[in-house]
Amino acid sequence: MVRRGFRKTNHPAIIGFLLPFVSAGLASVYVLCSPTDYASLRFRALFIVLIPLVLGLGLFLSIRSIPLIQEKGDKDYAYSGLVLNIFFILLYAFSFIYILLKRLN
């Protein structure tokens, strides 16, 4: 018996949608739970390496999921994940530039 109306899940779309929230959660937890030494190498490694990697992976998966919309569905997750990833990357980039400019002054 074949069920009609059910499609396979577009997993890259869902993961691409969730990864910006994971990166924001990582940043929030680390800022709240870290010592006050924000100049440490461990803190910089998280904010310069890990968070952009998570955001980049989310953007990659969101873009990769767009061709799968016709086959698997989940159009809302694919496009909203793409928009969220772009928004969070821009937010990260502007805050990074702001911090660099503030340190130069």
Side-chain angles (χ1 to χ4, degrees), residues 27-100:
S28 300
V29 167
Y30 198 70
V31 166
L32 291 173
C33 297
S34 70
T36 58
D37 185 23
Y38 296 122
S40 69
L41 181 64
R42 195 171 104 186
F43 185 81
R44 287 183 183 177
L46 176 81
F47 277 91
I48 295 175
V49 177
L50 184 62
I51 291 176
L53 281 176
V54 172
L55 288 172
L57 180 63
L59 182 65
F60 172 74
L61 289 173
S62 294
I63 291 171
R64 188 173 156 223
S65 69
I66 291 173
L68 301 173
I69 290 173
Q70 293 297 326
E71 178 186 336
K72 295 186 177 183
D74 293 330
K75 177 181 174 181
D76 296 338
Y77 282 113
Y79 288 122
S80 61
L82 183 64
V83 169
L84 281 171
N85 279 296
I86 290 171
F87 174 73
F88 276 70
I89 288 171
L90 288 174
L91 183 69
Y92 175 81
F94 287 140
S95 64
F96 192 73
I97 291 169
Y98 174 76
I99 289 171
L100 287 178

